[in-house]
Amino acid sequence: MQLRDFALERFFAQHEFTAPHLLCTSDCESVSVADLLAHEEGAVERFMDLRLNYTEAPGGIELRQEIAGLYASAGTDNILVSAGAEEAIFLCMNAMLSPGDEVIVPCPAYQSLHEVARGAGARVVPWMMHDDDGWRPDIEALKESITPKTKAIVLNTPHNPTGSLMTREEFVAVRDIAEDADIHVFSDEVYRGLEYDPKDRLPPMADLYEKGISVGVMSKAFGLAGLRIGWTATEDTDLLRKMAALKDYTTICASAPSEFLAALALRHRDAVVARNLGIIRSNLALLDRFFADHADVLAWVPPRAGAIAFPRVLAGEGAEAFCLDAIRKAGVLLLPSTKYDGYDDHHVRIGFARADMPVSLARFGEYLAARPTS
Ligand SMILES: Cc1ncc(COP(=O)(O)O)c(C=O)c1O
């Protein structure tokens, strides 16, 4: 299997641990092990007694029960635990796709969502998204992209990198298109739970469609990326079986301490997510003012969910040159849209779920104020 470099990861490898002000991170502020254990009486003692054996290959039963509780229709047999959402994407694309298949993937998208599909031999058909229509999905364009070779539609809502969120009508319309064509919907729902208005929260695709595949993770809404725990939920148990067979060659099973901590966080998910949404809300208030003050350089479509947005760079030099200059002169790290394969050079990703975002934003503001005007 030939995979091209993950452009975003290579960019982060170069700058993440040297740039002092990270302003494009996609996850929420994490917590210490002690803070997480403090949610439950007796958890410290139970954690210290944990045996460090191999865990159950599909995921420990206690963890799968907690995950199944996030879905209306899933039981523990409908869940496969993985090393992050990344492994879920890898296993699912390889289990679901064969050479000659076509798969429709939003563009821009988190690179694995199209690169692993391509690596599995499928032809990737991009489903373009644009800021001039508020990042709304073009349902007609989706219909026109379906061919007899289409095997799956990929969704990612709330969306990385735009922070857009499908309406329920749009989400159901995609399900209906997939049902008519009898194909899978692979729904990356890693930002589910971070809707700014809880009324906007969509049901998981796995609850809406027997060929719906919902992928979740502890990294984003829960702010626990270091656990490396993700999962797939689907009623398609044949597909899960194929994924589980591949997993025997990737990670076999998850880490025991991570399973313990993930199950605990899921039992206290309302409190864990509320804290993260609190950080996001207070940072968004700063960003509203920031984009109003810098409307000559940056234009954004305000996000509706998640931890990131994708403003347009109005300056003439292009997003990549803009970002490199901001790193060099101010130590502020933004992610240029050139790192989203197949997209443009006019946008930057900004992340706002970290507690130190106000400091990084102030530094970015100073940098913009010192920029020569054109
Ligand atoms: C849309 C999307 N899917 C999947 C992943 C992978 O998540 P993880 O790194 O927790 O495995 C990410 C990570 O940034 C993401 O943004």
Side-chain angles (χ1 to χ4, degrees):
M1 181 183 202
Q2 295 281 329
L3 293 175
R4 293 177 301 181
D5 276 0
F6 200 133
L8 177 156
E9 292 297 342
R10 293 300 94 224
F11 184 78
F12 273 121
Q14 203 180 342
H15 300 293
E16 188 180 2
F17 295 97
T18 51
H21 301 291
L22 303 183
L23 201 47
C24 57
T25 46
S26 66
D27 54 349
C28 290
E29 184 73 30
S30 69
V31 295
S32 66
V33 173
D35 285 346
L36 191 54
L37 290 172
H39 280 282
E40 211 165 276
E41 224 183 298
V44 172
E45 294 72 21
R46 282 190 289 122
F47 190 55
M48 297 316 272
D49 286 344
L50 186 74
R51 308 298 302 188
L52 295 175
N53 38 269
Y54 281 106
T55 58
E56 239 188 290
I61 192 69
E62 185 187 330
L63 175 58
R64 278 185 294 135
Q65 273 162 355
E66 291 303 329
I67 295 170
L70 303 173
Y71 301 88
S73 59
T76 50
D77 290 347
N78 302 105
I79 307 292
L80 181 70
V81 172
S82 51
E86 188 73 318
E87 190 187 25
I89 296 169
F90 189 87
L91 298 176
C92 189
M93 295 298 178
N94 279 291
M96 181 172 68
L97 300 170
S98 306
D101 291 344
E102 291 178 5
V103 56
I104 300 170
V105 186
C107 181
Y110 183 68
Q111 188 166 335
S112 308
L113 293 173
H114 50 83
E115 187 59 28
V116 179
R118 190 178 285 115
R123 187 170 91 84
V124 172
V125 179
W127 183 19
M128 299 308 293
M129 297 173 72
H130 306 283
D131 55 2
D132 53 12
D133 55 13
W135 302 119
R136 296 260 52 92
D138 183 342
I139 299 293
E140 285 312 307
L142 174 66
K143 274 188 200 154
E144 284 162 21
S145 299
I146 303 276
T147 76
K149 292 185 178 167
T150 309
K151 281 286 152 54
I153 300 167
V154 171
L155 294 183
N156 169 218
T157 191
H159 183 238
N160 173 355
T162 65
S164 62
L165 176 65
M166 283 186 171
T167 62
R168 196 184 160 100
E169 291 71 31
E170 289 162 346
F171 199 59
V172 169
V174 174
R175 189 274 314 268
D176 291 347
I177 291 168
E179 201 164 33
D180 281 351
D182 192 27
I183 59 177
H184 284 101
V185 179
F186 179 95
S187 184
D188 178 327
E189 297 168 3
V190 297
Y191 283 106
R192 187 164 182 271
L194 287 182
E195 300 77 10
Y196 311 148
D197 181 345
K199 287 199 292 299
D200 290 341
R201 184 163 309 151
L202 295 167
M205 185 52 80
D207 281 349
L208 292 188
Y209 180 37
E210 70 273 15
K211 285 196 167 181
I213 302 154
S214 290
V215 168
V217 81
M218 298 308 296
S219 309
K220 310 296 181 187
F222 301 97
L224 300 171
L227 294 183
R228 308 308 303 131
I229 292 282
W231 62 87
T232 305
T234 182
E235 283 182 27
D236 185 346
T237 44
D238 269 356
L239 180 70
L240 272 193
R241 248 191 306 280
K242 284 186 199 155
M243 290 172 64
L246 283 174
K247 190 181 160 192
D248 290 339
Y249 288 102
T250 54
T251 58
I252 301 177
C253 65
S255 124
S258 289
E259 286 208 346
F260 179 98
L261 295 170
L264 188 149
L266 286 170
R267 280 196 292 279
H268 300 277
R269 56 183 171 271
D270 290 348
V272 172
V273 175
R275 167 214 177 246
N276 297 337
L277 267 172
I279 296 172
I280 288 174
R281 283 209 178 89
S282 93
N283 286 341
L284 276 174
L286 295 178
L287 281 175
D288 269 338
R289 214 169 317 134
F290 183 89
F291 282 111
D293 289 348
H294 297 284
D296 54 331
V297 189
L298 293 162
W300 79 332
V301 176
R304 291 179 58 221
I308 46 183
F310 208 43
R312 176 179 282 268
V313 180
L314 303 172
E317 73 257 43
E320 180 147 344
F322 179 86
C323 291
L324 291 177
D325 196 58
I327 297 170
R328 200 162 49 84
K329 296 206 180 122
V332 172
L333 187 67
L334 293 158
L335 180 70
S337 48
T338 48
K339 304 304 168 197
Y340 282 85
D341 192 35
Y343 210 60
D344 63 15
D345 188 18
H346 301 304
H347 294 81
V348 292
R349 185 173 94 181
I350 188 159
F352 43 81
R354 294 282 181 93
D356 66 355
M357 195 226 63
V359 176
S360 303
L361 191 66
R363 186 78 196 96
F364 185 39
E366 287 161 16
Y367 161 78
L368 290 180
R371 262 170 69 92
T373 44
S374 50

